[in-house]
Amino acid sequence: MAQKGDLLSVRKDIRVVDATIRDGGLCNDFRFDDKFVKDLYAANVKAGVDYMEFGYKASKEIFDENDFGKWKFCKDEDIRKIVGDNKTDLKIAVMADVGRTDFKNDIIQKKDSPIDLIRIATYINTIPAAIEMIEDAAKKGYETTINIMAVSKARTEDIKAALEAFGQTPVSAFYIVDSYGSIYPEEARRLADMYCEIADKYKKSVGIHAHNNQQLAFANTIEAMTYGASYLDATVDGMGRGAGNCALELLLGFLKNPKYKVDPIVKIIEDHTSKLREQGVKWGYDIPYMLTGQYNTHPRPAIQFVKEERKDYYKFINELYDIINN
Amino acid sequence: MAQKGDLLSVRKDIRVVDATIRDGGLCNDFRFDDKFVKDLYAANVKAGVDYMEFGYKASKEIFDENDFGKWKFCKDEDIRKIVGDNKTDLKIAVMADVGRTDFKNDIIQKKDSPIDLIRIATYINTIPAAIEMIEDAAKKGYETTINIMAVSKARTEDIKAALEAFGQTPVSAFYIVDSYGSIYPEEARRLADMYCEIADKYKKSVGIHAHNNQQLAFANTIEAMTYGASYLDATVDGMGRGAGNCALELLLGFLKNPKYKVDPIVKIIEDHTSKLREQGVKWGYDIPYMLTGQYNTHPRPAIQFVKEERKDYYKFINELYDIINN
């Protein structure tokens, strides 16, 4: 394992991806008002962020539009209302889940869309479907990245086989996704090394998307970066499902490229995410998420615990033990 | 730099030090009720914690006893009321600050005291006074460790000279202290490596005391450990000055030695620290602490900001800029 760059150098390959609306949308069913999204877009431009993810391209056959805010579906016209023709250096991304996206109809030709990057998310058992989506999006003219989720539960040989398969597609980057917030920095380094070895062979990049169950989302992100990852996901105030994500303001403060600025993001926290918290939208490190992270399991029971405003953490340990062992 | 052990192995040299009452006491002027301290003592015994720090041995000449709870002074009789003759495997520690401890009078012979370990805290410019305290405590029969504070502001050659000097004393361990919460995991590894190189020469151990300004206290602790540190400071719920410390429940969940248990600490969070938060005692990661960490400066202005319940983070950036540059 070799370190790339050091604490004083600029890595030109770095791409900061703001995933606030997409992963944060999981906390409020994507019901952000337009002012938030417009302010965040302007702040990301000022802060030197490379990509802003607007939400999911979810299938309207599978999900009812009345149950969610518009960023669950990311219609091109809704994005255009925020970004116009997006004459900035900030690129626009959306996420497309395997099996939950009507990509043949909802993802139009790139030349007619404000979107630049389609981020395809898959589990390890749906690789062929993910490849089909990558090829469809690439043919339409988009950049693509691939998120292989819940990597802490996947077998090393399966991950390697998946990366070899994705290496032969037009995808730009392979993402390490610590869905359960269970990996430690030394594992983040090891995964980055493993992903990079295969990525280098196919001239691809590596990314990381971390969760903060053990207060390690930022640490794992910069450690994976130090060992070769270049696409770095983060969200304002760490907003994201359950324990949330790597905080964008921490990441921008760490990066040495002078194009990155913390201040515009601090303003968004002051003006928007702090207020969402006050309104009762819940995310961020808490004991139940720590426990699901330590047990390397889905945060679902912890999310439920927090939603119910329970405080009996000690009882939750036993409930979790039963859930995991049944 | 070489890694010691791996994610599956037990390191027999590890010593977990619970610093809740001492560093947490800085948040509430050491006003913990006896029930908290007794419950924490019992929980630490159950959790397999190696040392429990009760507070400071502060000089009653310098500090007025009416201004603080009793754990600012840690009289032997007060400790004995909690631990009796302490017939457990948990050892008792107190902190003694250079220049603020009447150690000749207040630290009695070890054979008459419930205290096992005197943790001496110094800045880089008061090394001779620290050595005098180490020698006094060692002569009285105590174990000692030395905390060199604010290491992120010290010059490498000065740190090395200090460690060489401490190497020739009876001290058991040299502590890396990230007072400003400004160091990154790769620096924690590098410092651990540097401290260990000198420690090995004198058959000493290395410790780490981290702050959470950048959500890195836990990461830096386990990274320093992975590269050789063995005395690991942590506090329940991360309770400690400003952004707080490495959370004990995170650390115990990481360590593989089966003697360490998370559950008793989760119970203390449920029964005690959650309630302190509800009562308005403040600590933990927040944007102003992130900023002082990023600027590698003392958290004082951030503590003031949080105490005043201000939320104008953006304005604080400029205030901080002025403070640092004046």
Side-chain angles (χ1 to χ4, degrees):
Chain A
M1 286 205 295
Q3 188 170 324
K4 289 192 186 173
D6 60 42
L7 284 174
L8 301 176
S9 61
V10 165
R11 284 251 310 272
K12 296 283 187 194
D13 59 312
I14 296 301
R15 300 287 177 271
V16 174
V17 180
D18 166 42
T20 308
I21 304 297
R22 203 273 307 162
D23 211 321
L26 296 170
C27 309
N28 69 347
D29 293 334
F30 306 89
R31 298 185 199 282
F32 295 97
D33 59 38
D34 281 0
K35 172 101 172 86
F36 184 131
V37 182
K38 274 182 190 165
D39 286 356
L40 178 58
Y41 169 72
N44 278 331
V45 170
K46 275 194 211 167
V49 167
D50 299 286
Y51 290 88
M52 173 170 168
E53 190 179 40
F54 271 71
Y56 286 95
K57 271 277 183 196
S59 163
K60 295 180 288 286
E61 300 281 310
I62 299 175
F63 299 99
D64 187 333
E65 286 190 74
N66 296 314
D67 293 343
F68 299 94
K70 58 189 164 191
W71 306 111
K72 174 88 174 175
F73 305 97
C74 281
K75 292 179 191 163
D76 286 54
E77 64 262 34
D78 287 329
I79 296 176
R80 220 180 271 284
K81 273 180 209 152
I82 305 293
V83 308
D85 289 333
N86 185 33
K87 299 207 174 300
T88 73
D89 292 332
L90 176 71
K91 291 184 175 183
I92 308 301
V94 296
M95 183 160 276
D97 274 344
V98 165
R100 295 176 163 199
T101 309
D102 183 9
F103 61 92
K104 290 193 179 154
N105 294 311
D106 290 342
I107 297 178
I108 62 171
Q109 293 292 320
K110 160 70 193 117
K111 68 177 173 51
D112 303 319
S113 169
I115 298 166
D116 300 286
L117 168 65
I118 309 283
R119 309 210 314 156
I120 292 143
T122 183
Y123 287 99
I124 199 88
N125 61 342
T126 53
I127 305 293
I131 291 175
E132 186 186 9
M133 287 173 70
I134 291 169
E135 287 174 345
D136 178 82
K139 204 177 296 168
K140 289 169 176 165
Y142 295 95
E143 295 170 51
T144 56
T145 57
I146 182 73
N147 281 19
I148 308 171
M149 296 185 288
V151 72
S152 59
K153 285 282 200 189
R155 293 184 307 173
T156 300
E157 57 269 36
D158 292 343
I159 300 172
K160 285 185 178 174
L163 296 178
E164 290 285 348
F166 288 125
Q168 297 165 53
T169 72
V171 81
S172 299
F174 309 150
Y175 258 92
I176 301 163
V177 186
D178 180 22
S179 302
Y180 302 156
S182 66
I183 71 171
Y184 294 107
E186 67 177 277
E187 295 175 289
R189 292 194 291 276
R190 208 154 49 217
L191 284 166
D193 204 54
M194 180 174 103
Y195 278 56
C196 284
E197 197 183 317
I198 301 176
D200 286 351
K201 198 162 79 178
Y202 295 101
K203 299 198 182 351
K204 309 295 189 190
S205 299
V206 168
I208 178 157
H209 180 88
H211 279 273
N212 208 30
N213 297 60
Q214 298 190 78
Q215 297 189 4
L216 291 171
F218 174 47
N220 287 337
T221 300
I222 62 180
E223 285 300 307
M225 172 195 140
T226 301
Y227 284 76
S230 42
Y231 281 67
L232 310 177
D233 281 14
T235 66
V236 176
D237 214 351
M239 187 180 187
R241 189 175 67 173
N245 299 96
C246 172
L248 183 57
E249 57 278 13
L250 287 169
L251 181 62
L252 295 173
F254 172 76
L255 295 170
K256 290 298 164 284
N257 188 331
K259 83 164 186 154
Y260 294 122
K261 313 274 184 216
V262 175
D263 306 14
I265 303 305
V266 169
K267 192 84 173 80
I268 296 293
I269 296 171
E270 182 177 330
D271 292 346
H272 293 289
T273 60
S274 297
K275 280 162 195 159
L276 289 181
R277 280 186 202 275
E278 282 165 23
Q279 290 160 18
V281 181
K282 287 187 199 304
W283 74 90
Y285 174 81
D286 198 353
I287 299 301
Y289 300 126
M290 175 196 81
L291 292 165
T292 59
Q294 287 178 345
Y295 287 123
N296 188 16
T297 193
H298 197 287
R300 209 173 292 111
I303 293 170
Q304 187 62 25
F305 181 99
V306 170
K307 196 174 163 189
E308 290 172 7
E309 303 196 341
R310 286 175 55 184
K311 296 287 175 198
D312 50 339
Y313 301 131
Y314 193 69
K315 193 172 169 206
F316 180 71
I317 296 175
N318 281 322
E319 291 173 10
L320 198 57
Y321 190 86
D322 285 343
I323 290 167
I324 292 166
N325 295 289
N326 274 314
Chain B
M1 286 204 299
Q3 187 169 325
K4 289 192 186 173
D6 59 41
L7 284 173
L8 300 176
S9 61
V10 166
R11 286 250 310 273
K12 296 282 185 192
D13 60 314
I14 296 302
R15 300 287 177 272
V16 174
V17 180
D18 166 43
T20 307
I21 302 298
R22 204 272 307 162
D23 211 321
L26 297 169
C27 310
N28 69 346
D29 293 333
F30 305 90
R31 298 184 199 284
F32 295 97
D33 60 37
D34 282 359
K35 171 101 173 87
F36 184 131
V37 183
K38 275 184 190 164
D39 286 357
L40 178 57
Y41 169 71
N44 278 332
V45 171
K46 273 194 211 167
V49 167
D50 299 286
Y51 291 88
M52 175 171 167
E53 190 179 37
F54 272 71
Y56 286 95
K57 270 277 183 197
S59 163
K60 293 178 289 284
E61 300 280 312
I62 300 176
F63 299 100
D64 186 335
E65 286 191 74
N66 297 314
D67 293 343
F68 299 95
K70 59 188 163 191
W71 306 111
K72 174 90 174 175
F73 305 98
C74 281
K75 292 180 192 162
D76 287 54
E77 64 261 35
D78 287 329
I79 296 176
R80 218 179 277 279
K81 272 181 211 151
I82 306 292
V83 308
D85 290 332
N86 186 31
K87 300 208 173 300
T88 73
D89 292 332
L90 176 71
K91 291 184 173 180
I92 308 300
V94 295
M95 182 159 276
D97 273 345
V98 165
R100 296 177 162 200
T101 309
D102 183 9
F103 61 92
K104 289 191 179 157
N105 294 311
D106 290 343
I107 297 178
I108 61 171
Q109 294 293 321
K110 159 69 193 119
K111 67 176 174 51
D112 302 319
S113 169
I115 298 167
D116 300 287
L117 168 66
I118 309 283
R119 308 209 316 155
I120 292 143
T122 183
Y123 287 99
I124 199 88
N125 61 341
T126 53
I127 306 294
I131 290 175
E132 187 187 8
M133 288 173 70
I134 291 169
E135 286 174 348
D136 178 82
K139 205 177 296 168
K140 288 170 177 164
Y142 295 94
E143 297 170 50
T144 55
T145 57
I146 182 73
N147 281 19
I148 309 171
M149 296 185 288
V151 73
S152 59
K153 286 280 199 189
R155 293 184 308 172
T156 301
E157 57 271 36
D158 293 343
I159 300 172
K160 285 185 179 174
L163 296 178
E164 290 286 348
F166 288 126
Q168 296 164 53
T169 72
V171 81
S172 299
F174 310 149
Y175 258 91
I176 302 163
V177 186
D178 180 22
S179 303
Y180 303 157
S182 65
I183 71 171
Y184 294 107
E186 68 178 277
E187 296 175 288
R189 292 194 291 275
R190 209 155 49 217
L191 285 167
D193 203 53
M194 181 175 104
Y195 278 56
C196 284
E197 199 184 315
I198 301 176
D200 286 351
K201 197 163 80 178
Y202 295 102
K203 299 199 183 350
K204 310 293 189 191
S205 298
V206 169
I208 178 157
H209 181 87
H211 278 272
N212 208 31
N213 297 59
Q214 299 191 78
Q215 297 189 6
L216 291 172
F218 174 47
N220 286 338
T221 300
I222 62 179
E223 285 301 307
M225 170 194 140
T226 301
Y227 283 76
S230 42
Y231 281 67
L232 310 176
D233 282 14
T235 65
V236 176
D237 213 351
M239 187 178 187
R241 190 175 66 173
N245 299 94
C246 171
L248 183 57
E249 57 279 13
L250 288 169
L251 181 61
L252 296 174
F254 173 76
L255 295 170
K256 289 299 165 286
N257 188 331
K259 84 164 186 154
Y260 294 122
K261 314 273 184 216
V262 175
D263 305 13
I265 303 306
V266 168
K267 191 84 174 77
I268 296 293
I269 297 171
E270 182 177 329
D271 292 346
H272 293 288
T273 60
S274 297
K275 280 161 197 158
L276 290 181
R277 280 187 201 274
E278 282 165 22
Q279 290 159 19
V281 181
K282 287 188 199 304
W283 74 90
Y285 174 80
D286 199 351
I287 299 301
Y289 300 125
M290 174 196 81
L291 292 165
T292 60
Q294 286 177 347
Y295 288 123
N296 188 18
T297 194
H298 197 287
R300 209 173 292 109
I303 291 171
Q304 188 61 24
F305 180 99
V306 170
K307 196 174 162 189
E308 290 171 6
E309 303 198 340
R310 286 175 56 186
K311 297 287 174 198
D312 51 338
Y313 301 130
Y314 194 69
K315 194 172 169 206
F316 180 72
I317 296 175
N318 282 322
E319 291 173 10
L320 198 57
Y321 190 85
D322 286 343
I323 291 167
I324 293 167
N325 294 289
N326 273 315

